[in-house]
Amino acid sequence: MTLKTTKLRNAISFALVAGTAVTGTAFAQDAAPADQEATTLDRIEVTGSRIRSVDAETSQPVLVLSREDIQKQGVTSVAEVLNRISAAGPSINRTFNNGGDGSSTISLRNLGASRTLVLVDGRRWVSSLGGSVDLNTIPSAIVERIEVLKDGASAIYGSDAIAGVVNIITRNNYDGAEASAHVGQFSEGDGERTSIAATLGANTDRSNVVISLSRVEEGEVMAGDREQSAVPVFGRNDRSGFSANGKIWNAGPGDFSEFTIVPPGATGTGPAGQQRYSLDQFVPWSSAEHGYNYAKDNYLLTPQTRTALYLKGRFDITDSISFVTDALYNERRSEQQLAGFPLSGGPALGNAANTVLSGDSYFNPYNTLYGGDGRDVTWSRRLTEQNRVYQQNVKTVHTYAGFNGSFQFADRYFDWDVGYNFNKSDQEDAQIGDANMLAVAAGVGPSFLDPASGRVVCGTPDNPATPDVNEQNIIDGCVPFNPLAPAGTMPQEQLDAILFTAQDAFQNRSESFTANLSGEIVELPGGMMGFAAGIESRKESGFDRPDAFVAAGYTSGNSRLPTSGEYDLDEIYAELLIPVLADVPGAQLLEFSVASRYSDYSNFGDTLNSKFGFKWKPFEDLMVRGNWAEGFRAPSIQTLYRGIADSYESFGDICSSDNPGLTATIAAACAADGVPADFIQRTNGGDGYFGQTIYPFSFGGNPNAGPETSTSETLGLVYSPSYVDGLNVTLDWWSVEIEGALSTLSVATILDECYAQGNQTACSLFTRDPVNYQITSMILAPANLAVINVEGYDLGVDYRFPETSFGRFTAGLNASYTSKYDIQQTETAEPENVVGMYFNQDPNWRLRANGSLDWSMGDFGVTWITRYYSGLVEDCGFGPLCSDPDRRVDTGPAPRNKLGATTYHDVQARYELPWNGTVKLGMNNVFKKRPPTSYTVFANSFDPQYDIPDSSYIYMEYVQRF
């Protein structure tokens, strides 16, 4: 297909991709001379509309990051680029260790990754079982630019486009060769990164082929190597009650009445590798002396390696018909690491009854053979000899093949395309360091010293009272296990007997057929009316097949049952662009856009979503734009079909007598439920309010879940004053309301609904032990319960200074201000505005802003980027560590902690070499800014959205073009 080019077209294309890494605002366009031919212009498609137009600005706000913008940031993944934009909320990334899986996502407006639609070249990408897209399956080396639509777009693209759309445009029609390398590490000498990429493109008269090969290696940072994350809670000397030393939990008259351990360095008696310890060697447990600092063993920044091969091609069959195809293979290998498993035995610690250390065990100091009372022992021991390691190998395959073209009919221009899109992600997980509880139960059962072999064996010995009768019973294949061994003395034989490596398999698969037609209909006073229409037929499927031991519940870790499901859908859409006026007083331009999309799902039925937008230029310098859109999000495979999965949740039991927020109403409701007034919550850290449960709670799917629905609105302006050449300002108000939001009520919400609000349905979701009143089970499943209402403003400013004798300067500012974020957990609940509040791994910043200053002169260039996060406040139960420990409300004490505002500074210097190469030196987080300390966050004492503390990332890049 032959493309014609004009100066106007070039100006429009430049406006589409121009901007800084923090703004993406289109620059003002110079008018074409009156005598310039303007009858054959290339029309372009901008994210948010399927109608091709010569105007890069639409009725919806679109942020554009060019390849040059991306390369100025010194990052090595698409996820890092996207999560730096001001409209991004918190999402999973490499700083998620416990609970992470190596994936990285994007959550626009802090509405969740599954409510942000991710496209690649305008087409859907493979999503996870939960409905979000792992950006680590998209290599940054293939990216030409990224367009971020900050508005709802279900009428154009269908499900998931509630918060917005991220459209990653890959390199196209590239002719030449390029090789690049990136090396860097943190100033502390860790977290090494290496990235290499090679791209080759070739053109002929009728075709183009682009091939890209890339590999990224990102090293780990240990939590123990940063002061802030080296302990469980920064500023305290907290230690886990699950010690590296074997611990007896019922050394007194009952469970949790007295704790004892054998201190490190104690000398046992018995065969080598099978020593036992007598009661007189046990000492009282001391948290300060014997507690374990598990934080130091964890990854702070997880390692991963990504390898990708990308191919894109076009062949012009005729001047107006082309065959297009692209394919990608991406492999990600990632890893997380936690401290050795905190293994325990006995029902009092949430285990099966047969996991106590038997009174007849050779290793039980209370064995009657040693003069003890023969009691079974409730025990714990952290297996520090083997860290827990979680490894992922994710292979993603993408293929697209189709035809596109253009034609004229009745003096009208039309474009069309048809294609087949296939995406599949296969994931194999290895989980190392969990225990086989069947082997543990056998190993802590009866055992004795076999006189024949001189080794301790499982089973029962001969009865000394009847020496002539052979009553010895040795259990073949069983290895006796001593859970009371001091730190560092666990024999490898015993570890090999109880540990196993779980092998899990996952798959996500998506395939679709699409057909689109766009063009012109009729001449109106403002220009040609445009239209687009199309159909899509898509099928989604996936599964999660856990290891057999995991599914059967024999693991010491979290058990889960398999997940498997699929659904299909058919969709049809239509869109109109109606230019009403042009070049008249008060209306240099006035146009409206309308669109509607009908979707028919096999699992929940059909839905119709529409949008209306307008664009008005009262005079040349100013454009006013607005949009109203309906949206929806279909329930994901995991939402619908998830198998029951265990999770050890951290929560505060509001019935615990040491709960600082315990009110008379709550106390009365707890008493009515049979909970005694002196009840104390029990966690894996011991007795006391708030901590991780020792009993697994259950997450599951909901086959009756329906789609979420939303309404989005935007109203804004684009101002490019002709009297200030190079200045562009955008200001947009935005609002998103979601009804029937799919949410899983938190443990805290369920307990509050039960005891504070008297909701008996919430009370039915959990059970308490009838003896100790601890919560032993809870059901957590998604439902269309919540209502979310979010509102705010986006500001973008770009200014290109006049060129001077000492170089050219460009400044940019992009900010997102959230004025309201109301959440109703249920339709009848009171809305809670969480703007400025911090919850565990959920920062609700009021303001995020990025600023940049770019200087270039000849072959030299320098970019300075500033990233700003506003302050937050969190509830705080750590007394003097809280910034406001004495805060009170009507219901009583309500201490809080302030997380201060945080600003990061990044700098990059570059030089264009005479042989068509570019060398870059850069530093991110120049001043080694430490994130604000949080006492609510699950790990590391800072939220994972912030940079690694006390460290600058220093890097060098080299690009060679041929």
Side-chain angles (χ1 to χ4, degrees), residues 177-192:
E178 179 182 286
S180 62
H182 172 112
V183 292
Q185 66 176 19
F186 288 103
S187 53
E188 305 303 299
D190 51 13
E192 298 86 355

Side-chain angles (χ1 to χ4, degrees), residues 825-853:
Q825 296 291 347
T826 64
E827 290 184 355
T828 58
E830 288 294 321
E832 179 185 7
N833 189 356
V834 299
V835 174
M837 291 294 299
Y838 182 77
F839 306 97
N840 178 29
Q841 298 178 348
D842 183 19
N844 293 274
W845 294 293
R846 184 176 295 276
L847 176 64
R848 279 196 65 179
N850 297 324
S852 71
L853 180 63

Side-chain angles (χ1 to χ4, degrees), residues 810-824:
T810 302
L813 171 68
N814 186 270
S816 184
Y817 179 88
T818 303
S819 58
K820 180 171 71 173
Y821 199 125
D822 284 352
I823 299 178
Q824 294 172 248

Side-chain angles (χ1 to χ4, degrees), residues 248 260 276-283 364-366 370-373:
I248 296 177
T260 59
R276 67 176 182 85
Y277 300 88
S278 59
L279 275 177
D280 60 2
Q281 293 180 280
F282 283 76
V283 299
N364 189 334
Y366 294 99
Y370 316 138
D373 58 16

Side-chain angles (χ1 to χ4, degrees), residues 199-210:
T199 302
L200 177 66
N203 277 326
T204 69
D205 290 342
R206 308 189 69 87
S207 64
N208 174 261
V209 175
V210 179

Side-chain angles (χ1 to χ4, degrees), residues 439-470:
V440 171
V444 297
S447 58
F448 66 98
L449 182 61
D450 178 25
S453 64
R455 301 294 295 170
V456 179
V457 295
C458 298
T460 53
D462 286 331
N463 187 344
T466 56
D468 297 331
V469 180
N470 184 9

